[in-house]
């Protein structure tokens, strides 16, 4: 693809600058796919893509998976729990039977880890034999949990980023590169 890279973008009220190029993202996904192919070839794997953020990552990752597998998509509802501190989010759209299966969650980013710890618990209740997690991005300084993350593409600082599936208030998911906020406090 001819790339006339956009170095700065304005989304709503904020400005962002390029942070991770699409080339770097693709190289990162090459490595993740290579690992997953060598770890899981021959197993009955269900990839569970967490929408919306992971749609681009999932498309690029799964094109590189070279064994027979199923791919399914879930969304986390934005239902807000009754306690002030916790946001209870339900998994919707899951219609596969998970019992006894190997599930690999495909996620865009693990930040505090609250969303994924919640999701992993729910999948374990559905009696999946093993639940693995592949995330393109991880913010170690924001992480509040201690579950293992099996495949991490890139560790990034605790800054707000957009692009390549990630949004700021609904916008910027379409960019092939990842951008970071300019002038953070
Ligand atoms: P967590 O529960 O704090 O780990 O957050 C997970 C979700 O928050 C991710 O799946 C993203 O949808 C969103 N998120 C976390 N950090 C960012 C960011 O820097 N930009 C955009 N979305 C983010
Ligand atoms: Mg997400």
């Amino acid at each position: 693809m001819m790339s006339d890279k956009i170095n700065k973008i304005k989304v709503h009220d904020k400005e962002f600058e390029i942070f991770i190029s699409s080339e770097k993202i693709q190289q990162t996904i090459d490595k993740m796919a290579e690992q997953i192919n060598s770890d899981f070839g021959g197993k009955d794997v269900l990839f569970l893509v967490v929408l919306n953020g992971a749609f681009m990552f999932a498309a690029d990752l799964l094109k590189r998976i070279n064994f027979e597998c199923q791919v399914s998509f879930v969304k986390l509802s934005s239902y807000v729990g009754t306690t002030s501190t916790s946001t209870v989010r339900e998994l919707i759209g899951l219609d596969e039977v998970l019992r006894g299966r190997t599930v690999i969650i495909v996620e865009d980013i693990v930040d505090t880890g609250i969303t994924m710890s919640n999701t992993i618990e729910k999948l374990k209740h559905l009696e999946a034999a093993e639940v693995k997690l592949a995330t393109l991005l991880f913010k170690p300084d924001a992480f509040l949990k201690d579950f293992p993350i099996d495949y991490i593409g890139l560790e990034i600082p605790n800054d707000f980023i957009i692009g390549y599936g990630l949004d700021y208030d609904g916008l910027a998911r379409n960019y092939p590169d990842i951008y970071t906020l300019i002038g953070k406090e």
Side-chain angles (χ1 to χ4, degrees), residues 5 8 60 67 98 114 119 165 171 174 177:
K5 240 183 231 319
K8 270 189 191 176
D60 285 334
F67 55 88
L98 300 190
I114 292 168
T119 304
L171 297 181
N174 52 302
D177 306 281

Side-chain angles (χ1 to χ4, degrees), residues 107-115 139 159-161 166-167:
E107 176 63 312
D108 50 357
I109 185 166
V110 176
D111 186 38
T112 63
I114 292 168
T115 310
K139 293 180 181 173
D159 298 323
F160 188 70
I161 55 155
L166 293 147
D167 74 307

Side-chain angles (χ1 to χ4, degrees), residues 86-106:
S86 74
T87 304
V88 180
R89 302 176 86 202
E90 291 303 318
L91 266 185
I92 53 179
L94 183 63
D95 37 39
E96 272 71 25
V97 174
L98 300 190
R99 177 170 302 145
R101 306 197 60 187
T102 296
V103 177
I104 303 180
I105 303 170
V106 179

